[in-house]
Amino acid sequence: ASVDSLNFEALVSDDEASPGVERDIDTIVIFDILGEKKLLTKPSNLYDSWVNSIITPLVQLAKDDLKLFELVHNRDPHSGKPKRRLLKVPLSQHIPDEYWPKVLDWSHSNLKFLYDIGYQAGLEFCDAHQADLKSNPHLQAVA
């Protein structure tokens, strides 16, 4: 994550020689929690301070990677239009403000809480973008 936090390279390369690159992708769905400044909280102890020292640069890298992708790598050089549609799952809006100081806690209860939030956000996202996702012949329904 400290080198390429969102790792778009294999998704956007138009280089025919690049191995493992999918050039027929027309929609990219992003679950971006790293780019959320609310991850940066005042540490309550030495451990929190250490975690913040790790997460702080990653938050900015994720924001920069997404901005660079949208403005440079995902643009057709001739028309300036996006090459691929970018859809973002709004994970952070499902996290209550009072919970943000605990988001990076390493506990089973936090894992379950965030899993449930992510699952609910994913369901709502699929409902909201149902037509966009169903119209893609490359996606397969999972029961």
Side-chain angles (χ1 to χ4, degrees):
S2 64
V3 175
D4 191 358
S5 59
L6 298 177
N7 197 10
F8 287 117
E9 186 175 348
L11 295 174
V12 299
S13 176
D14 290 323
D15 181 5
E16 296 292 330
S18 295
V21 172
E22 296 289 337
R23 278 171 277 290
D24 60 350
I25 293 173
D26 63 1
T27 302
I28 298 173
V29 177
I30 297 178
F31 294 80
D32 177 27
I33 193 75
L34 272 180
E36 182 58 58
K37 283 205 178 243
K38 290 180 183 179
L39 282 174
L40 307 177
T41 60
K42 182 179 177 182
S44 61
N45 55 44
L46 189 56
Y47 178 76
D48 277 353
S49 181
W50 175 69
V51 170
N52 279 352
S53 74
I54 295 168
I55 201 68
T56 299
L58 298 181
V59 168
Q60 191 58 49
L61 282 170
K63 289 175 68 85
D64 291 348
D65 276 0
L66 186 54
K67 193 181 307 179
L68 183 64
F69 173 73
E70 290 179 299
L71 297 175
V72 178
H73 299 296
N74 196 38
R75 295 277 169 198
D76 182 281
H78 306 292
S79 69
K81 293 181 180 180
K83 293 180 186 178
R84 293 150 186 96
R85 180 176 35 193
L86 187 63
L87 301 175
K88 300 174 194 173
V89 178
L91 292 171
S92 61
Q93 75 183 33
H94 290 77
I95 300 174
D97 286 338
E98 65 274 4
Y99 196 82
W100 278 99
K102 297 183 266 186
V103 163
L104 297 177
D105 286 355
W106 284 81
S107 67
H108 184 268
S109 60
N110 188 45
L111 171 70
K112 180 168 179 2
F113 180 79
L114 293 175
Y115 176 87
D116 291 344
I117 282 177
Y119 186 81
Q120 186 61 39
L123 290 176
E124 290 176 17
F125 175 85
C126 288
D127 285 344
H129 295 281
Q130 190 173 19
D132 294 330
L133 298 173
K134 277 188 174 180
S135 67
N136 189 330
H138 301 291
L139 293 176
Q140 296 178 7
V142 178

